[in-house]
Each structure stands twice: as C-alpha cells, then as structure tokens.
Amino acid sequence: MGKLATRLYVEEDLTAGAVVGVNHQQAHYLRSVLRLGRGAAIALFNGRDGEWLAKLEGLGKGWASLAVQSRIREQSESPDVWLVFAPIKRARIDFLAEKATELGCRRLLPVMTRFTAMERVNVERLRANAREAAEQCERLDVPLVEPPQPLAKLLEAWPPERRLFVCSERGSAPPFGDALAKAAEPQPAAVMTGPEGGFAESELATMARLPFVTLVGLGPRILRSDTAALAALAIWQSVQGDSSARPPSPASAEGASEPDLAD
Amino acid sequence: MGKLATRLYVEEDLTAGAVVGVNHQQAHYLRSVLRLGRGAAIALFNGRDGEWLAKLEGLGKGWASLAVQSRIREQSESPDVWLVFAPIKRARIDFLAEKATELGCRRLLPVMTRFTAMERVNVERLRANAREAAEQCERLDVPLVEPPQPLAKLLEAWPPERRLFVCSERGSAPPFGDALAKAAEPQPAAVMTGPEGGFAESELATMARLPFVTLVGLGPRILRSDTAALAALAIWQSVQGDSSARPPSPASAEGASEPDLAD
C-alpha cells in the first residue's frame, strides 16, 4: 500500500490491536497543526517493529491515543556508519543532527577534542532532532545519540573492526572517495570531523598511528565542521551505503512537504 | 609563504601598490571583532586576480583602507558545477548558500517550480552568504547567485553541453554516484533539487525527455531540499570534482576557527 503522509516515532511496542500514546509535542502536532480527528490514519514506528498503520482513536489537549492495525513495512536498519564529531554551536549542531539522520547515520558520538570550544552538549535536544528527522525522512530506525566523551577515551574503547575515517585538513591524506573505493569490501565505518579550530597536530599524529584509523581529505576548500560531516556521510553512502535503494513509494514524497515538528 | 588567517573579498582590482577599501561590515570585523591595528597583514581576493597580501593602512568607524603588496596565490576557479534549487525558507536557504559555496559550487540558480512555497528570494542576502563562505573556506572565486526564474524559462535557455542531474525521489533513477562514474569524461554539470513538496510528476516527466537531463537518486530516505543539494554537490566533487586537491597550507586550518562575518 502507499505510504501515509503522517509518521510518528513512538517508544511502545507495535503489534496489531495495541493502543499506544504519543508525546505532548506529537499530540499537539496531530491536533493543532494537522487538525486531524478521530479515525485519521497515521504511520507509527519505534525502531524495532517496522512501520505500522494506526488510527487516531482519542485526541485531547496534549495527548492522543492510536489503535495499531497492520504492519506497512518490515523493520530495516540504516547502513552501518557512525558520525564522530566535535560539538559546535547550537544552530549548527541542530542542523548536523538532522542532516546526519537524513543521511542514514546509525550513531552520533560527540567527542571533545583539544580545540573544541563547546563545553556542554544538550544530548536530549540532539535526540529530539534525530527523532524528528527520522519521522520526516522515513527511516525506520533512529540514530543513537551518545553523551560526549574525551577523544582519548573514545579511541581507547574503539571497536577495532570499525574503520574510523578522520577528515583532516592537514598533512597528506587520500580523498575520502578514493579511500572507500580501495576498501576490499564494505566494513562497519565511522567518519570523524573536528571542531571549527580543526584537530591539533598531536591529535592527528596520534590517530594516524592507530590501526583502525584512516586519515582522509575532502578537497581543497576549508569546510566548516558541519559541512565536512555531511559531505563525508553523503560520500560514504554513495560508495558503500544504500544509495542504490529508492524511497518506499511515490506517495512518500508528500511526507517531505509536511510542516515538521521542529517548526 | 603560509596563508593568512584573515581573508577578505573585495570588488576592486588587486595589483602591487594599489590601495583598496572594504565594505562597512568588513571594516567592523577588522576593527571591532579582530581588533586589528595599522600594519596588520590580511589576505585579499576578488575572484579575478588571485590572493594578495595586504597591510592595514587606515582604519576608522565603518571604513578601512588596505595597501596591496604581493600575490600569495595565483587565481584558480572552482570546478564547473552549478546548483539549481527551488527556494526554501530563510534559515535553510542561508545554510544552502553557505554550504554550496564551501562545496565548490560555481553558480547558484534559484528556480520556481510548481510546488515551490517561497514567492520571493533575497538574492543580495544569498550573495552576501556566498561571499562570506568563500572568505571562510579559502576559495579564490565567489559563486554567482542568479535571480530566481521559472522552471520552464530555465530549461528553454539551458546550455545543452551542460549535464543537468535532477535529484528525483520518484520513479526509477540510477544512484547519482553511479550515473557520474558511468560518464565517459567529466563535463560541465549542474545538480537540481526540488522544493520541500518535491517536483510535480509533470515537471519530472518533462525534464526526463530533455537530452541534457539525467534523473538521479540519492538513496532510500526522503531528504530535505537542502540536504539533497549538499549531498549531491559532495558526491559530484568526490567523483568528478577537485576532491583530490588539498587545502593550500597547514596554516589555513586556522582560517576555519575565526568568527565569521555572519556572526
């Protein structure tokens, strides 16, 4: 069947006959933005059970209940790529969480580097951005957003089978696309971008010696942190990700024209 | 020599011995943000004469004069790719102009499509965003920002030797990266993205019949207009652009840590 224009992420299990609630913001969206009434059809997903058709059963100020009916799409996971990034200022970090989600990133890991100017990260806010972007872009999963951690700690605990592509403006580094094309076969990956001040020479030197790290370049221009992260994710998806898949159905294009919860 | 941290775009010709002025915003930036004094070294570019070392000669409230000394870098042009995009709301269109500039786009063409919600485009504002992003990312040219035009008019006047890659969420379309890899040799190109509502079926059908158009896909997720444009430009640069080049010099990484004029 065609996809539904309205998609919401919920925490609860989704099974035929279940009745689930939505959060305050989603209820407001259904009632006051979309002005839906009882019986309206909505798509629900929780990152585990696929996408389900649900009917709006009860609706009040700040609450809504939905009757789960039948599964529309089987659960699928986004390609296995993570984004490790040095936190940047608010408008840009919101944009980054949204775009990384649209670009199919499975996990977002804020990392504190030597020149990172931001001291705190609103992880809950990033999670909300990721959830809303997932609703919007028709993903069936929502990226995990980790709490920030120091670079040294992140590297110590790094899973060695996951290739870490560090975007470097300094020294010699092959173009990211070439590094990916050379890879024998796709493997779990992560792209890492530094703060606006770049990585410290010592940070790059340390990482360059790690067996799971590949330093890569993104061309001759000095990209902002957020631009570098998005470019790297887009290139990874194009070479090793799911870029050959198509959106679930023509109708889903309307999904992109909706006002999003963030508005 | 190493690159200078402060780079400004000027309109005037740059030759040894010339004395040039900067605009009010740039003068404020030099005086009140960077707190520079007479004799400070600054890099200037105008998109024609390369990059020049200049010394701050006179500085007042809203004005500054710079003595042009010697050329630091020869003029170079960004790769020959344009971005054709349906205007989107303000914060997102600002991001788009900034990111497209960082991603080496040579020309930005706003186009009015059937489902384009925006009626007016602040072209001067987009030009300012492009200028500031060029200063920041160390380009030696600034993308041209055209006034908006209707889709039909744009297509009628399209230069047939320039391949137009239209990002489509509907119907069958090869992944953009594959379409580029298949191309016999690099040719002048443009990527085109629709509004949040997507292209109309009739618009896609019309464009699909044009000899210079290739419909392409960007994967299974429904990307926002700005995300699609940035992803497409990043992929183009990776496959056919200048992604194998490196930033001018290590020192230039500091350029990215400056407060930018937009702040």
Side-chain angles (χ1 to χ4, degrees):
Chain A
M1 64 171 288
K3 309 277 306 75
L4 300 165
T6 308
R7 275 183 99 237
L8 296 178
Y9 172 84
V10 294
E11 303 281 346
E12 295 170 68
D13 291 341
L14 295 170
T15 53
V19 175
V20 303
V22 296
N23 68 33
H24 185 288
Q25 191 183 30
Q26 292 169 321
H28 169 77
Y29 173 64
L30 294 176
R31 185 170 187 246
S32 307
V33 179
L34 299 183
R35 296 204 157 64
L36 298 180
R38 290 191 174 63
I42 290 160
L44 300 178
F45 68 109
N46 61 6
R48 304 181 303 274
D49 303 323
E51 185 171 63
W52 289 73
L53 167 64
K55 287 279 159 76
L56 192 52
E57 198 171 74
L59 184 66
K61 200 167 184 345
W63 68 274
S65 62
L66 296 122
V68 181
Q69 299 191 323
S70 56
R71 185 184 270 130
I72 304 166
R73 289 160 70 196
E74 291 297 321
Q75 182 62 34
S76 65
E77 261 195 316
S78 294
D80 196 3
V81 64
W82 298 354
L83 173 64
V84 183
F85 65 100
I88 45 181
K89 60 190 174 189
R90 177 166 163 161
R92 292 182 182 278
I93 202 170
D94 289 349
F95 174 87
L96 184 57
E98 173 188 293
K99 301 308 183 211
T101 302
E102 291 179 69
L103 291 168
C105 179
R106 202 185 274 189
R107 201 168 171 196
L108 277 69
L109 300 97
V111 64
M112 301 311 219
T113 66
R114 172 129 174 254
F115 297 146
T116 299
M118 307 298 291
E119 274 156 19
R120 289 178 307 102
V121 177
N122 187 336
V123 174
E124 278 318 308
R125 187 181 164 82
L126 291 185
R127 287 181 178 144
N129 289 332
R131 231 171 13 242
E132 288 159 17
E135 290 174 332
Q136 172 99 27
C137 74
E138 308 206 358
R139 276 175 73 141
L140 287 177
D141 58 341
V142 175
L144 289 173
V145 180
E146 305 291 350
Q149 55 186 316
L151 179 59
K153 189 151 165 291
L154 175 108
L155 296 172
E156 269 165 39
W158 191 263
E161 73 284 359
R162 182 172 299 269
R163 176 62 38 189
L164 177 58
F165 295 100
V166 177
C167 300
S168 169
E169 283 162 353
R170 302 161 182 247
S172 72
F176 187 32
D178 293 7
L180 287 174
K182 276 201 199 71
E185 57 194 38
Q187 74 180 107
V191 297
M192 183 173 183
T193 53
E196 292 296 331
F199 290 108
E201 296 280 10
S202 59
E203 290 173 327
L204 286 174
T206 302
M207 291 194 282
R209 281 191 296 269
L210 297 171
F212 51 80
V213 166
T214 304
L215 298 191
V216 294
L218 293 171
R221 289 162 296 277
I222 304 294
L223 303 181
R224 282 181 174 279
S225 299
D226 49 351
T227 315
L230 305 182
L233 285 172
I235 292 164
W236 187 88
Q237 290 290 4
S238 178
V239 179
Q240 294 200 339
D242 60 4
S243 61
S244 58
R246 296 290 290 156
S249 93
S252 44
E254 267 72 63
S257 67
E258 279 178 58
D260 57 328
L261 295 177
D263 288 354
Chain B
M1 61 173 290
K3 308 277 308 74
L4 300 166
T6 308
R7 280 183 94 237
L8 295 178
Y9 172 84
V10 295
E11 303 280 346
E12 295 169 69
D13 291 341
L14 295 169
T15 52
V19 174
V20 302
V22 296
N23 68 33
H24 186 286
Q25 192 183 29
Q26 292 169 321
H28 170 79
Y29 174 64
L30 294 176
R31 185 170 188 245
S32 308
V33 178
L34 299 182
R35 297 202 155 68
L36 297 180
R38 290 191 173 64
I42 289 159
L44 300 178
F45 68 109
N46 62 6
R48 306 182 302 273
D49 302 324
E51 185 171 62
W52 288 73
L53 167 64
K55 287 278 159 73
L56 192 52
E57 197 172 73
L59 183 66
K61 199 167 187 337
W63 68 272
S65 61
L66 296 120
V68 181
Q69 298 189 323
S70 57
R71 185 183 270 133
I72 304 165
R73 288 159 70 197
E74 291 297 320
Q75 182 63 33
S76 66
E77 260 195 316
S78 295
D80 196 3
V81 64
W82 298 355
L83 172 64
V84 183
F85 65 101
I88 46 182
K89 60 189 172 188
R90 176 166 165 163
R92 293 183 181 276
I93 204 172
D94 288 349
F95 262 118
L96 185 57
E98 173 187 292
K99 301 308 182 208
T101 302
E102 290 179 69
L103 291 169
C105 179
R106 202 186 274 188
R107 200 167 173 196
L108 276 68
L109 301 96
V111 63
M112 300 312 216
T113 67
R114 172 127 174 255
F115 297 147
T116 299
M118 309 297 292
E119 274 159 20
R120 290 180 304 102
V121 177
N122 187 336
V123 175
E124 278 318 308
R125 186 181 167 82
L126 291 184
R127 286 177 179 149
N129 290 332
R131 234 173 10 242
E132 287 159 17
E135 290 173 332
Q136 172 97 27
C137 75
E138 309 206 359
R139 276 175 70 143
L140 288 177
D141 58 341
V142 175
L144 289 174
V145 180
E146 305 290 351
Q149 55 185 317
L151 178 58
K153 190 153 165 289
L154 175 106
L155 296 172
E156 269 167 36
W158 192 263
E161 72 285 357
R162 180 173 298 270
R163 175 63 39 189
L164 177 59
F165 296 100
V166 177
C167 300
S168 168
E169 284 162 352
R170 304 164 181 242
S172 72
F176 186 32
D178 294 6
L180 287 174
K182 278 206 198 69
E185 57 193 38
Q187 74 181 107
V191 297
M192 181 172 182
T193 53
E196 292 295 329
F199 291 108
E201 295 281 11
S202 59
E203 290 173 326
L204 285 174
T206 301
M207 291 193 283
R209 282 193 295 271
L210 298 171
F212 51 81
V213 166
T214 304
L215 297 190
V216 294
L218 293 171
R221 289 163 296 278
I222 303 294
L223 303 182
R224 282 181 175 280
S225 299
D226 49 352
T227 316
L230 305 183
L233 286 172
I235 292 165
W236 188 89
Q237 290 289 3
S238 179
V239 179
Q240 295 198 337
D242 59 5
S243 61
S244 59
R246 297 289 289 155
S249 96
S252 45
E254 269 71 62
S257 68
E258 280 178 54
D260 58 326
L261 295 177
D263 287 356

